[in-house]
Amino acid sequence: MSELTRLTAAELAQKIHSREVSAVEAAQAHLDRIAAVDERVHAFLHVGAEAALASAALVDESLDADTPPASPLAGVPLALKDVLTTTDMPTTVGSRILEGWRPPYDATVTAKLRAAGVTILGKTNMDEFAMGSSTEYSAYGPTHNPWNLDRIPGGSGGGSAAALAAFEAPLAIGTDTGGSIRQPAAMTGTVGVKPTYGGVSRYGLVACASSLDQAGPCARTVLDAALLHEVIAGHDPLDSTSIDAPVPAVVEAARRGAEGDLHGLRVGVVRELTGEGYQAGVQENFDAALRELEKLGAEVVEVSAPHFQYGLAAYYLILPSEVSSNLARFDAMRYGLRVDKGASAEEVMAATREAGFGPEVKRRIILGTYALSSGYYDAYYGQAQKVRTLISRDFAAAFEQADVLVSPTAPTTAFPIGDKVDDPLAMYLNDLATIPTNLAGTTAMSVPSGVAAEDGLPTGLQVMAPALGEAVMYRVGAAYEAARDAADGSPFATRIPEVKR
Amino acid sequence: MSAPTLVDFDDVVDRYDPVLGLEVHVELSTNTKMFCGCPTTFGAEPNTQVCPTCLGLPGSLPVVNRAAVEAAIRIGLALNCDIAPWGRFARKNYFYPDMPKNFQTSQYDEPIAVNGHLDVTLEDGTVVRVGIERAHMEEDTGKSLHVGGATGRIHGAEYSLLDYNRAGVPLIEIVTKMIPDTGARAPEVARAYVTALRDLIRSLGVSDVRMDQGSMRCDVNLSLSPKGSGILGTRSETKNVNSLRSVERAVRYEMTRHAGVLDAGEKVVQETRHFQEDTATTRSGRIKETSEDYRYFPEPDLVPIAPSPEWVEELRGTLPELPWERRARIQQEWQLSDAELRDLVNAGALDLVAATVEAGAPSGEARSWWVSYLAQQANTRGVALDELPITPAQVARVIELVSSGELNNKLARQVVDGVLEGEGEPDEVVAGRGLAVVSDDGALIAAVDEALAAQPDVAEKIRGGKVAAAGAIVGAVMKATRGQADAKRVRELIIERCGT
Amino acid sequence: MSPESSSAGGAITRDEVAHLARLSRLAVTDAELDVFAGQLDVILGAVARVGEVAAEDIPPTSHAVPLENVFRPDELRPGLTQEQALSGAPAAEDGRFRVPQILGEEQ
């Protein structure tokens, strides 16, 4: 493996901008890596080699002419979750119903990445329509966890996380609806951030649950995630739900955090998100992380969020409801798959959706249709929206007592492929700790907290902050990361094993 | 299905009370669509006025058009509604190929305007206050062309072709409260309401409101209640009502049809029917589904609309003089009796007369022209008064020419004819046809002398003091000058020339 | 399908699932119906616990972010060409999307 693929994005950017290395070299090194391992990992659904090299060449040309880099990440390669539209590559959302679909427009996030000079290597695998926690619901086959190819990489954004862990890219974009960035980050020992709802544009983000979806940065280090965060975040007039406020200064916060002083900061442990139901190694690593934070000067307090226990139930009512409506447009009339079974439009629609959607998607469409039905609306969807208010209030109360909240990101380490795929409810439990943040619209990140003693698989520490509170979150994440690296003697990424044959 | 039994209309109103409801959709004339920046102009090549948002492409998002919200608020204010201080859009979910998202972004239980009224004046002066339940914003669907069937309608079509240029155009839906107690006048009230609403919205300048072009669409809801029972009947909804006349006829027909069903001891089916223009009847919709559950929920891609009181008041200040305010003012200014005002309104002449007055004509003359000569011309040509090819400004000019003596009334009519024929402005017609009153005394004297010479006995009488006899000479001079003489002056000259 | 016909706590019958599938235009197979009915039953049982929270006076949240009055000016913005619009179309004719015979009525 080329040394270039072991670098962090910040390091790689520095080498490219100083012209020690060209953007094309950097791109090629990663394309070679993809060619070497992706058959086993299956992180990518599409690799756009030609376009990537062309884009990198343009960056080189510009830098050679002494033009300042378009962004601190100009020339750095990136893997893009296949849920964001790209005009030069297919956008399948992990589904058969959009197999080969070439959107006529770029998502705002895509456009920002291009404008920043980032080299988009390709589109990554995901659970179909972002519904899942293992990437096993992809219509194109699962992604394999680089730590252990028999294990899931997490989901729905398993492809992006695996690409990072397999050193196929130093940066990735994911989307997080109930934990789909954070949980795969924990499963693969990488960093993943869900920005405040409205912090990153959803224009061009194929919708799963509109009120929960957020695109976010994924990387192997907190600083890299911060750099990427500043490229993609910001107000978008094409997205009515995007926040018109300055992007939080997360790079500065990450750098400051790495200096290691957390005195004056209160870290709240959410009582309802630890203990029973959490794998031993997960809990151990979490406790150890708390001790690290204390050593850095933070005050660790316990907080209670009594309505978090209803989070899963509320989520699995709100999400399917919005999904059932968002996915109605896939009807074989204007784009995507058409199964010409039957003579009428209605029959063709039904046959196409039957063939084009996988079982999890169908389950959620049916569940959502039920929850919104007249007669059931109040008891299900209506009630779930009230629970959402209660969860927001729990957060608000907790953030009075602490500056950030922490929990293990996921209850278990990466489980074997096939273990939970036929047990939807068991699968849903993966999102226990991550869901409340999506419901409240606040921000959270997952940072590697070591490996579990019993299986050697990575665990993640989740750091949660209030809406638009990314700065304190990145600060804590970076501080913890630095302390952990210091204790280990090397960056966590060095612990990621080589992808097995 | 056998033809429905229809009960004679007078019989119906003897035994049943009709309850009316009208839903009107108005297509706004904003530059761009409700949720995206695509143009709304009519007649473009198919699918050339679309974008990811109005095409419902995966990943697309809506952003509300501010002008559409303003139009909605103004319509609400003009209808005496309360403007909701806070409300959200909602999704109305159902599958249909003309709706790209298979849901319509609309408003459900939080409409922007509620609880208003429109006072409708019927032809005989009766005023009916029609309650307005709500007005809300929504988006239009695309247009489908049905290919392969006999009539181009959906029935029997082989396939359909979709054009989404119209998808996303802003619509305002205005729903009346139930209108009871109209009895035999229900058809008339329905028509009058839609007419009044059209005029009102036109005065706001927010829509063309042309029923014949689809920028105003009306659905008629009707039910019958057995007289005195207080029991509400089942209502039917009739769509495809494309003109004011059809509104009236649809109500009438449904009343007779419902009565036929009820008289036979059967239940009226709650259904959507389609008005058939050619036979003035309604026909049942093709597929009968159980009443659709639209699974409404608040639109998560949009944020609430919360018009501030300041903004609402600012918009209230932009309302033009509303039609009934205008009528009241005009009645006072022109000192019209109620009957005179009504005549004007019924002749469709009020706006035209007002505009003529605005162009400088005295109201009496302006009225007189429009209500008599021009009305006759319109009748002869089979067009509405406002479709005559003459403008109020032109009429005002003609009136001016008469009052300055350049034309007499007879000539003035010829000038008007000339304008109607397309010969140009009144002055151009006068010149072109040589219609100016002869004001040159010399020429007139010559004509007078000639006429006197031709009728010596009459001349004798005049010289003898019988001034009344001058009439015959006046007539002769008028004939000789082809009416282009000022009769009064001619008479003066005759008397002069006769030396009396 | 009325609230009374399914028991409290979310027992969902095979028939109900079939009805919902029709409503959402999913031509599910008989085998799927059986599997889904069982799975959905379990899921509904779990999610029904939102009802345990006494929430009469709690306002529902539909937006986590308290934004209001987000508008755009009534100005033109470049859209797609006809070619772009039709680029993904399974079938097109004369610049329009061609779709099979529509059975239902327009709303």
Side-chain angles (χ1 to χ4, degrees):
Chain A
M1 180 182 353
S2 155
E3 279 191 7
L4 291 178
T5 58
R6 305 291 315 199
L7 298 175
T8 67
E11 290 165 346
L12 193 50
Q14 193 272 327
K15 286 192 195 290
I16 293 171
H17 300 171
S18 69
R19 308 317 281 135
E20 190 187 322
V21 156
S22 74
V24 167
E25 279 175 84
Q28 192 59 62
H30 287 88
L31 289 168
D32 291 344
R33 175 68 181 166
I34 292 169
V37 301
D38 207 56
E39 215 168 321
R40 285 169 273 154
V41 176
H42 192 45
F44 284 85
L45 290 178
H46 181 93
V47 178
E50 214 175 288
L53 291 168
S55 155
L58 284 176
V59 170
D60 282 333
E61 213 177 285
S62 166
L63 291 174
D64 286 338
D66 285 326
T67 320
S71 78
L73 293 176
V76 179
L78 173 143
L80 188 61
K81 185 175 182 183
D82 205 16
V83 73
L84 287 152
T85 60
T86 46
T87 52
D88 60 348
M89 286 184 281
T91 302
T92 69
V93 203
S95 178
R96 284 277 168 229
I97 215 162
L98 280 181
E99 187 168 5
W101 181 57
R102 284 281 282 265
Y105 78 108
D106 273 343
T108 297
V109 166
T110 306
K112 284 183 169 230
L113 290 168
R114 295 198 208 272
V118 168
T119 305
I120 302 176
L121 295 171
K123 312 298 285 297
T124 57
N125 199 12
M126 52 184 286
D127 281 301
E128 189 182 1
F129 281 98
M131 290 184 250
S133 313
S134 66
T135 310
E136 291 174 287
Y137 292 133
S138 166
Y140 300 98
T143 296
H144 300 258
N145 194 323
W147 287 73
N148 178 334
L149 296 174
D150 296 327
R151 304 259 171 168
I152 55 105
S156 64
S160 282
L164 294 167
F167 297 91
E168 293 172 291
L171 294 172
I173 297 288
T175 62
D176 192 307
T177 305
S180 295
I181 285 178
R182 293 164 282 158
Q183 184 253 22
M187 299 278 160
T188 57
T190 57
V191 175
V193 179
K194 187 203 88 70
T196 304
Y197 182 83
V200 177
S201 170
R202 288 187 302 115
Y203 186 75
L205 197 183
V206 179
C208 169
S210 314
S211 71
L212 301 167
D213 294 343
Q214 258 309 264
C218 311
R220 291 188 292 267
T221 68
V222 174
L223 177 62
D224 281 357
L227 288 163
L228 186 51
H229 194 125
E230 287 191 1
V231 167
I232 62 173
H235 178 245
D236 184 7
L238 293 173
D239 175 359
S240 299
T241 60
S242 91
I243 301 174
D244 194 357
V247 178
V250 295
V251 170
E252 186 197 312
R255 292 199 201 275
R256 179 169 167 229
E259 286 162 21
D261 180 13
L262 293 180
H263 280 95
L265 223 74
R266 298 163 300 160
V267 171
V269 175
V270 182
R271 184 192 315 153
E272 288 80 6
L273 294 181
T274 66
E276 200 187 299
Y278 286 78
Q279 186 180 320
V282 167
Q283 188 66 52
E284 263 168 47
N285 288 354
F286 176 68
D287 294 336
L290 290 179
R291 290 193 293 276
E292 283 297 338
L293 291 170
E294 275 177 321
K295 273 198 249 169
L296 293 169
E299 184 196 340
V300 174
V301 301
E302 194 188 67
V303 299
S304 174
H307 299 96
F308 277 23
Q309 60 171 313
Y310 301 104
L312 211 63
Y315 177 82
Y316 281 104
L317 279 171
I318 293 168
L319 181 142
S321 300
E322 294 182 9
V323 158
S324 70
S325 178
N326 282 329
L327 268 56
R329 68 192 67 201
F330 299 98
D331 64 0
M333 303 289 117
R334 289 162 294 283
Y335 44 79
L337 183 70
R338 176 182 283 183
V339 171
D340 274 303
K341 238 194 238 166
S344 71
E346 288 82 354
E347 285 168 294
V348 167
M349 274 189 207
T352 300
R353 290 158 65 79
E354 161 67 12
F357 290 143
E360 182 61 27
V361 168
K362 285 184 214 170
R363 265 194 291 275
R364 297 199 196 187
I365 288 174
I366 292 172
L367 184 55
T369 306
Y370 184 73
L372 290 175
S373 297
S374 104
Y376 294 101
Y377 180 97
D378 289 331
Y380 290 124
Y381 186 79
Q383 190 71 3
Q385 294 288 39
K386 294 184 176 188
V387 168
R388 193 170 184 171
T389 306
L390 292 171
I391 288 175
S392 290
R393 290 181 184 177
D394 279 1
F395 266 113
F399 283 126
E400 306 249 304
Q401 302 166 62
D403 301 298
V404 298
L405 305 179
V406 290
S407 79
T409 305
T412 68
T413 56
F415 46 87
I417 291 173
D419 246 23
K420 302 191 187 181
V421 81
D422 291 320
D423 189 351
L425 211 57
M427 189 68 87
Y428 296 167
L429 289 170
N430 279 290
D431 302 326
L432 207 50
T434 47
I435 272 171
T437 296
N438 299 87
L439 288 170
T442 49
T443 182
M445 73 180 344
S446 181
V447 178
S449 58
V451 298
E454 62 269 18
D455 55 25
L457 292 169
T459 61
L461 170 72
Q462 177 175 233
V463 183
M464 298 170 268
L468 291 177
E470 277 86 343
V472 64
M473 176 182 77
Y474 271 92
R475 181 179 158 208
V476 171
Y480 169 71
E481 175 190 62
R484 182 208 63 209
D485 285 352
D488 289 346
S490 66
F492 186 81
T494 58
R495 302 181 66 172
I496 304 176
E498 178 52 73
V499 175
K500 286 209 170 34
R501 298 239 151 256
Chain B
M1 196 187 347
S2 56
T5 316
L6 306 174
V7 174
D8 177 66
F9 186 79
D10 293 330
D11 195 3
V12 176
V13 296
D14 261 351
R15 295 181 290 110
Y16 293 100
D17 288 323
V19 176
L20 206 50
L22 292 151
E23 281 172 28
V24 172
H25 285 85
V26 169
E27 205 176 78
L28 294 180
S29 53
T30 52
N31 296 322
T32 61
K33 295 186 179 182
M34 185 76 225
F35 299 117
C36 67
C38 287
T40 55
T41 44
F42 189 80
E45 282 296 295
N47 295 303
T48 57
Q49 291 180 168
V50 293
C51 73
T53 296
C54 55
L55 210 49
L57 293 185
S60 62
L61 292 173
V63 185
V64 176
N65 182 340
R66 192 193 176 92
V69 177
E70 290 183 340
I73 292 174
R74 291 174 78 230
I75 288 174
L77 290 173
L79 289 171
N80 303 290
C81 292
D82 298 321
I83 303 300
W86 188 92
R88 294 168 293 187
F89 284 91
R91 292 190 184 181
K92 181 181 183 183
N93 297 283
Y94 65 97
F95 285 82
Y96 205 79
D98 67 2
M99 279 204 318
K101 298 172 292 193
N102 284 318
F103 63 83
Q104 183 194 39
T105 303
S106 175
Q107 292 187 295
Y108 174 51
D109 52 354
E110 298 166 355
I112 190 152
V114 290
N115 204 24
H117 62 265
L118 181 59
D119 288 337
V120 176
T121 309
L122 303 179
E123 233 165 89
D124 67 352
T126 316
V127 177
V128 176
R129 173 160 286 195
V130 175
I132 303 294
E133 180 71 45
R134 54 186 280 154
H136 73 251
M137 297 175 280
E138 57 184 43
E139 54 178 343
D140 211 344
T141 62
K143 273 214 193 115
S144 27
L145 268 182
H146 306 298
V147 180
T151 57
R153 284 212 36 129
I154 198 171
H155 185 72
E158 225 180 278
Y159 61 93
S160 300
L161 296 173
L162 270 315
D163 169 18
Y164 294 103
N165 283 352
R166 195 184 68 178
V169 169
L171 291 179
I172 306 294
E173 180 176 335
I174 300 158
V175 182
T176 66
K177 299 189 181 175
M178 288 196 308
I179 310 168
D181 304 330
T182 52
R185 306 192 78 174
E188 190 191 345
V189 169
R191 179 185 182 143
Y193 165 74
V194 178
T195 309
L197 183 64
R198 182 198 64 178
D199 293 346
L200 177 64
I201 293 179
R202 188 175 285 155
S203 78
L204 294 174
V206 297
S207 167
D208 295 334
V209 272
R210 293 276 303 260
M211 283 184 88
D212 57 335
Q213 283 182 354
S215 51
M216 182 177 202
R217 302 166 213 165
C218 182
D219 297 340
V220 171
N221 293 322
L222 185 103
S223 68
L224 289 182
S225 168
K227 252 198 195 321
S229 69
I231 301 171
L232 275 179
T234 306
R235 65 180 167 85
S236 64
E237 179 186 31
T238 301
K239 293 172 119 56
N240 194 42
V241 182
N242 294 330
S243 69
L244 293 171
R245 194 165 83 127
S246 298
V247 170
E248 188 170 356
R249 291 160 118 200
V251 171
R252 198 178 180 88
Y253 180 80
E254 279 298 283
M255 285 172 66
T256 62
R257 187 185 68 82
H258 278 225
V261 169
L262 295 172
D263 280 357
E266 279 155 23
K267 283 195 175 2
V268 170
V269 176
Q270 183 173 325
E271 59 174 343
T272 301
R273 299 179 69 86
H274 296 271
F275 186 70
Q276 311 295 303
E277 237 2 278
D278 43 358
T279 51
T281 62
T282 67
R283 186 166 70 186
S284 188
R286 207 149 48 99
I287 300 271
K288 275 187 194 118
E289 283 198 24
T290 50
S291 85
E292 187 87 45
D293 179 5
Y294 294 116
R295 301 183 295 284
Y296 287 100
F297 68 101
E299 170 62 80
D301 288 332
L302 293 174
V303 299
I305 309 254
S308 69
E310 293 77 33
W311 190 27
V312 173
E313 284 321 298
E314 189 192 313
L315 289 172
R316 197 192 298 276
T318 70
L319 294 182
E321 186 183 34
L322 301 175
W324 52 87
E325 291 171 343
R326 185 152 180 260
R327 271 176 229 145
R329 176 180 60 80
I330 283 176
Q331 182 173 13
Q332 211 210 33
E333 274 176 17
W334 301 351
Q335 296 180 315
L336 300 174
S337 68
D338 287 349
E340 283 169 328
L341 176 69
R342 220 157 41 229
D343 286 342
L344 266 184
V345 172
N346 291 341
L350 188 69
D351 289 347
L352 295 163
V353 175
T356 310
V357 170
E358 251 158 76
S363 69
E365 267 94 318
R367 260 169 56 220
S368 160
W369 270 101
W370 283 103
V371 166
S372 43
Y373 190 69
L374 288 170
Q376 276 168 42
Q377 292 304 311
N379 219 357
T380 316
R381 287 151 191 260
V383 297
L385 205 53
D386 60 0
E387 287 169 339
L388 278 180
I390 187 167
T391 67
Q394 289 166 331
V395 174
R397 178 63 185 146
V398 170
I399 292 171
E400 196 185 349
L401 288 170
V402 171
S403 70
S404 71
E406 279 174 70
L407 293 176
N408 55 34
N409 279 321
K410 196 160 158 203
L411 289 174
R413 275 190 218 129
Q414 288 180 52
V415 173
V416 166
D417 288 345
V419 175
L420 291 174
E421 300 294 324
E423 289 164 31
E425 292 297 310
D427 289 77
E428 287 172 323
V429 175
V430 167
R433 289 195 185 189
L435 291 177
V437 164
V438 176
S439 46
D440 169 20
D441 272 3
L444 281 180
I445 288 167
V448 164
D449 288 346
E450 227 185 283
L452 284 170
Q455 300 189 59
D457 39 325
V458 177
E460 234 356 272
K461 282 195 189 140
I462 300 169
R463 285 194 202 100
K466 274 209 175 134
V467 181
I473 306 297
V474 172
V477 172
M478 291 305 282
K479 197 164 164 195
T481 61
R482 283 171 294 122
Q484 282 170 241
D486 177 1
K488 210 175 95 175
R489 183 70 189 130
V490 168
R491 182 181 286 272
E492 283 169 9
L493 287 171
I494 291 170
I495 290 166
E496 251 178 59
R497 297 306 274 176
C498 289
T500 51
Chain C
M1 184 173 69
S2 67
E4 295 77 47
S5 70
S6 71
S7 56
I12 188 168
T13 66
R14 197 177 181 280
D15 281 346
E16 282 172 316
V17 176
H19 172 75
L20 292 165
R22 263 192 309 274
L23 268 184
S24 34
R25 298 290 187 272
L26 288 170
V28 294
T29 63
D30 282 336
E32 278 178 309
L33 273 181
D34 291 325
V35 171
F36 285 165
Q39 290 172 330
L40 289 167
D41 208 36
V42 171
I43 295 169
L44 271 174
V47 299
R49 65 187 306 235
V50 292
E52 287 169 25
V53 176
E56 291 93 32
D57 300 324
I58 314 292
T61 305
S62 62
H63 293 98
V65 165
L67 291 175
E68 278 177 357
N69 293 332
V70 173
F71 301 128
R72 60 175 180 82
D74 189 22
E75 281 159 18
L76 290 171
R77 199 180 161 258
L80 299 171
T81 63
Q82 191 190 76
E83 200 187 319
Q84 286 173 318
L86 294 169
S87 62
E93 188 179 295
D94 292 339
R96 293 176 172 82
F97 294 85
R98 181 181 160 138
V99 308
Q101 181 192 44
I102 304 168
L103 294 178
E105 288 286 323
E106 286 166 36
Q107 300 281 334

